[in-house]
Amino acid sequence: MEHDLQMPVYLFHQGTAAKAYELMGSHPEVHDGKEGYRFRVWAPNASSVAVIGEFNEWRPLHQMKRITDQGLWELFISNLSEYTTYKYQITDKQGNLHVKSDPYGFHMETRPDTASKTCNVDRYQWTDDLWRIKQQKRAPYDAPMNIYEVHLGSWRKYEDGNYFNFEKLAEELIPYVKDMGYTHLEFMPVSEYPFDGSWGYQVMGYYSPTSRYGTPEGFMALVNACHQAEIGVILDWVPGHFPKDGSGLYHFDGGSCYEYADPLKSEHKEWGTMIFDWGKNEVRSFLISNAVFWFDKYHIDGLRVDAVASMLYLDYGRNDGEWRPNEKGGRENLDAVSFLQELNKTVFREFPSALMIAEESTAWPMVTKPVHVGGLGFNFKWNMGWMNDTLRYMGQDPFFRKGCHNQLTFPLTYFCSENYILPLSHDEVVHGKGSLINKMPGEYESKFANLRAYLAYMMAHPGKKLNFMGSEFAQFSEWDYKKELDWSLLDFEMHKKFHTFSHDLNHLYLSSSELWEMDDSWDGFKWINPDDADNNVITFRRIDQKGEELITACNFSPVTRIKYRIGVPKPGIYKIVFHSGLEKYGGTAENAAADSNAIAEEISYNGYEYSFETDLTGLSTIFWRCIKCPTQRKRK
């Protein structure tokens, strides 16, 4: 082994490699004066490995050399051009052949073909230095974060059904997202995957942006264009499981290479996928390096880590007798806990401004607390409890909502226990769950009014925000990955007005530091009245670091509450800054209502010294800001 390889190889086998992709896979190289590619692959159960491809008519003419006892194989092949297709032909110890794509391949063929392609990922000329410097100086906790979640293959398509490529997406998607007032794009998984219906969550090429939409440089150009428009990029990432496709990681070298060998730990039978063995050093190096890879080579800003709960619990999706307790007799997967902690420590060491977001659906403690105090080390977590509770509440006929008022208020008892993102994701608009607007009760207009009130309430609730594409214009049909969104709905008045509502609400959020500066502190949220279940109303204050406030009232009843009194902490003139029920948004309140003011009088109410009266339009959320706070004489 060459001397300069000793440390990378050591780290790889120790499970602590942060950049194993610099060692593994195929890399352009000049060797003995000849240009070519250097191949390295880990196959500990193999008796021999060959590189096969179109360059040798897929015959095992280029045999690799085993360079470590732990199963690292290497070969240099001269005179290979970029985008040459190749695979590894592995002979296991029983003499069986396994033909596999490269786990570290940087580019792949488009399904149904599965070969890897040689590719240089170090050539792109980035122009996003200012963005990256700005992010390094900015703490995400007290900054706005309003995420637009996108499936790249179905946001828009050409009329003939073909996908937009990365460059066309940059041209069309980024101006739209910028105009609509979103701060981040979250892409459902872009790592290469064989089955369209998995939406990218069953990954074959962890280091390959899917060729459905173009080349690796095309994806780099998309990220670069996002940053030039000051849009952050978050990728969905799947370190929990992988599919059984024959050319993928499954039984890679004839044995349990990437997956657990224990049959009680190795498989998610309901998903038809295999579970990574996070206790195996080379698997840890593979996955942790993959996370770093997307930040390093593709300049992404964050990873949303999929299905964390399925990783943390040994009995996840299993009945009694179908799982094996850990060494302490518990149900926690200690390998996964250790892996996630090491993952986050490594990512933040390499990229301190990274967003590491856990999709964790249970009450596992300290998901977003530092590793050194026993946390998992993420800096954000999806608030699945908020999503489930509030959607159940909104799904009720308003007549019955007073009986489940706690579903609206309970999430506000724990909002600062973690750093939360409030997600209304793709998972809520598929598999018969109905679109967001179809979850709302009532007739046509009532559905729109309910959803406007709900989304405005979501914007006022502590926590960063995420909405799936199509929700911004109230798409009625469930999301279908095979076709583009129903953009034709914007030809209809109510959908067009709802689109305007989403635009204006997003821009209110951007311009209102009260809604994002103190998302994780009781100093940023104060109840006015959480208990008015009979009227289906909640009122509260959102406060920024300077003490400026937005007063929020949510009326989830279709009945307008006339002269409804709201307690406030100081006197003055309170101006409506946003009203979800205006006519211009498809509501019933006159647009002029947005220009109306309320005078806070020295009348104690809701535990506050001052209060004002207002009309709360049925099924609406309204925001006020104190625009003038005069010195008032106390009444005798």
Side-chain angles (χ1 to χ4, degrees):
M1 186 191 308
E2 296 179 16
H3 179 73
D4 58 356
L5 286 181
Q6 289 180 355
M7 183 54 69
V9 168
Y10 171 79
L11 294 175
F12 173 72
H13 287 310
Q14 286 293 111
T16 54
K19 296 184 177 181
Y21 50 87
E22 294 179 347
L23 172 73
M24 307 296 289
S26 64
H27 295 268
E29 185 179 308
V30 177
H31 180 68
D32 290 340
K34 295 180 180 179
E35 293 185 355
Y37 278 79
R38 175 79 62 179
F39 296 83
R40 294 190 188 94
V41 66
W42 176 62
N45 301 302
S47 61
S48 67
V49 182
V51 182
I52 61 174
E54 60 186 4
F55 60 92
N56 61 13
E57 299 179 342
W58 301 97
R59 294 180 295 166
L61 303 178
H62 293 81
Q63 292 289 322
M64 304 184 78
K65 177 183 178 182
R66 186 166 185 149
I67 60 173
T68 70
D69 293 338
Q70 299 97 323
L72 192 62
W73 301 77
E74 179 184 73
L75 180 67
F76 175 80
I77 304 176
S78 62
N79 300 318
L80 292 184
S81 60
E82 189 169 17
Y83 304 129
T84 295
T85 55
Y86 72 96
K87 287 187 175 183
Y88 296 114
Q89 180 175 297
I90 301 169
T91 305
D92 67 25
K93 294 175 181 178
Q94 287 73 42
N96 301 308
L97 294 181
H98 308 270
V99 179
K100 299 288 187 175
S101 57
D102 189 346
Y104 288 85
F106 296 145
H107 193 25
M108 288 186 71
E109 293 181 299
T110 305
R111 52 84 182 101
D113 297 319
T114 56
S116 301
K117 292 185 177 184
T118 56
C119 181
N120 185 350
V121 294
D122 295 316
R123 188 172 48 215
Y124 185 76
Q125 298 297 310
W126 292 88
T127 58
D128 63 346
D129 286 351
L130 290 178
W131 167 264
R132 301 188 89 192
I133 292 170
K134 182 178 179 181
Q135 298 315 299
Q136 291 168 8
K137 297 179 179 179
R138 187 180 197 180
Y141 309 108
D142 58 2
M145 188 184 299
N146 188 12
I147 304 165
Y148 187 62
E149 186 192 17
V150 172
H151 177 260
L152 290 175
S154 58
W155 181 71
R156 281 194 185 273
K157 287 187 173 184
Y158 289 108
E159 290 185 5
D160 62 4
N162 283 325
Y163 296 128
F164 282 10
N165 63 17
F166 290 125
E167 291 83 358
K168 180 65 171 175
L169 284 162
E171 180 183 330
E172 299 286 341
L173 176 60
I174 295 171
Y176 176 79
V177 167
K178 187 68 175 178
D179 174 68
M180 286 297 294
Y182 297 101
T183 63
H184 291 73
L185 272 164
E186 179 172 323
F187 298 137
M188 291 167 69
V190 300
S191 300
E192 193 61 79
Y193 56 102
F195 175 46
D196 288 1
S198 79
W199 314 329
Y201 291 97
Q202 295 188 10
V203 179
M204 177 179 289
Y206 273 79
Y207 288 82
S208 301
T210 176
S211 56
R212 287 168 175 79
Y213 317 124
T215 65
E217 285 195 358
F219 185 59
M220 292 175 186
L222 173 58
V223 176
N224 192 61
C226 286
H227 289 170
Q228 290 178 325
E230 298 193 319
I231 300 292
V233 176
I234 300 166
L235 295 189
D236 275 12
W237 187 59
V238 191
H241 62 119
F242 59 89
K244 296 180 180 179
D245 292 72
S247 59
L249 300 177
Y250 177 59
H251 287 180
F252 183 74
D253 56 5
S256 297
C257 189
Y258 285 88
E259 64 268 44
Y260 278 111
D262 185 341
L264 293 184
K265 297 171 68 175
S266 64
E267 187 174 359
H268 283 305
K269 292 184 178 180
E270 74 278 21
W271 296 343
T273 56
M274 305 305 292
I275 300 172
F276 280 106
D277 183 349
W278 303 291
K280 193 175 293 181
N281 288 344
E282 292 84 358
V283 173
R284 292 166 75 97
S285 287
F286 172 77
L287 288 171
I288 291 173
S289 293
N290 185 239
V292 171
F293 171 80
W294 291 104
F295 289 98
D296 181 18
K297 299 300 182 181
Y298 288 91
H299 289 203
I300 67 159
D301 302 282
L303 289 175
R304 176 267 199 183
V305 181
D306 180 63
V308 170
S310 75
M311 301 170 66
L312 291 173
Y313 297 98
L314 293 165
D315 61 347
Y316 185 91
R318 290 170 168 79
N319 299 316
D320 290 345
E322 295 179 344
W323 61 282
R324 193 181 310 283
N326 63 36
E327 61 194 40
K328 300 178 181 179
R331 58 196 283 254
E332 301 81 12
N333 189 322
L334 302 180
D335 291 340
V337 173
S338 172
F339 162 75
L340 291 169
Q341 291 175 326
E342 188 62 30
L343 163 73
N344 286 314
K345 286 195 301 182
T346 302
V347 169
F348 287 123
R349 183 184 70 233
E350 299 287 334
F351 298 94
S353 62
L355 301 172
M356 292 297 290
I357 303 164
E359 187 217 6
E360 203 287 305
S361 56
T362 74
W364 188 280
M366 300 201 298
V367 172
T368 60
K369 303 307 180 198
V371 172
H372 70 265
V373 299
L376 292 183
F378 292 93
N379 54 2
F380 285 98
K381 171 183 172 174
W382 274 18
N383 192 339
M384 311 293 280
W386 170 87
M387 179 271 297
N388 286 317
D389 285 347
T390 59
L391 285 179
R392 277 198 297 269
Y393 176 85
M394 293 304 300
Q396 294 285 336
D397 185 294
F399 181 80
F400 299 105
R401 283 177 177 165
K402 64 181 179 181
C404 53
H405 192 72
N406 64 309
Q407 292 175 345
L408 195 63
T409 57
F410 177 66
L412 286 157
T413 66
Y414 64 82
F415 75 86
C416 55
S417 63
E418 303 273 11
N419 302 318
Y420 282 118
I421 293 173
L422 309 182
L424 294 174
S425 74
H426 68 276
D427 279 329
E428 307 318 310
V429 294
V430 290
H431 299 323
K433 294 180 182 178
S435 64
L436 277 185
I437 194 164
N438 261 333
K439 295 179 192 295
M440 302 296 124
E443 300 299 324
Y444 184 74
E445 288 81 6
S446 293
K447 288 181 179 293
F448 283 91
N450 271 288
L451 187 53
R452 288 193 307 268
Y454 176 58
L455 292 179
Y457 147 78
M458 172 190 181
M459 201 63 85
H461 191 291
K464 310 309 180 185
K465 324 298 176 188
L466 179 142
N467 277 279
F468 185 55
M469 63 182 194
S471 66
E472 75 274 19
F473 58 85
Q475 176 165 307
F476 263 101
S477 61
E478 283 193 335
W479 170 58
D480 183 350
Y481 73 92
K482 295 187 291 292
K483 64 180 185 179
E484 74 170 16
L485 298 179
D486 295 335
W487 293 102
S488 61
L489 289 175
L490 290 175
D491 294 332
F492 295 87
E493 181 182 19
M494 287 296 287
H495 292 277
K496 187 174 182 179
K497 287 183 174 181
F498 194 94
H499 197 237
T500 300
F501 158 79
S502 297
H503 172 279
D504 291 358
L505 181 63
N506 288 345
H507 283 275
L508 171 77
Y509 175 74
L510 285 178
S511 63
S512 302
S513 55
E514 300 96 332
L515 297 179
W516 40 261
E517 271 195 352
M518 292 199 288
D519 273 329
D520 56 354
S521 168
W522 281 106
D523 293 332
F525 175 90
K526 303 291 182 185
W527 278 115
I528 296 175
N529 185 1
D531 299 323
D532 193 3
D534 288 342
N535 285 316
N536 296 358
V537 173
I538 56 172
T539 50
F540 54 89
R541 303 154 56 201
R542 289 303 311 276
I543 308 162
D544 69 11
Q545 293 172 356
K546 295 180 180 178
E548 298 297 322
E549 299 191 11
L550 279 181
I551 305 299
T552 304
C554 306
N555 178 10
F556 292 114
S557 163
V559 178
T560 296
R561 306 302 180 186
I562 304 298
K563 293 186 177 180
Y564 191 90
R565 185 164 289 277
I566 299 174
V568 290
K570 58 186 177 183
I573 300 174
Y574 285 77
K575 178 177 175 55
I576 292 177
V577 294
F578 192 84
H579 190 320
S580 74
L582 296 181
E583 289 177 339
K584 69 176 180 176
Y585 300 141
T588 58
E590 294 182 0
N591 292 332
D595 297 320
S596 63
N597 299 325
I599 307 297
E601 307 168 279
E602 193 179 344
I603 298 177
S604 297
Y605 206 73
N606 301 137
Y608 292 93
E609 186 176 356
Y610 303 94
S611 61
F612 63 80
E613 284 187 339
T614 188
D615 293 345
L616 297 183
T617 305
L619 298 176
S620 73
T621 294
I622 307 174
F623 299 83
W624 293 264
R625 181 176 282 121
C626 185
I627 60 171
K628 189 174 183 181
C629 186
T631 302
Q632 293 190 354
R633 295 173 57 190
K634 291 191 175 183
R635 290 159 46 182
K636 296 182 180 179

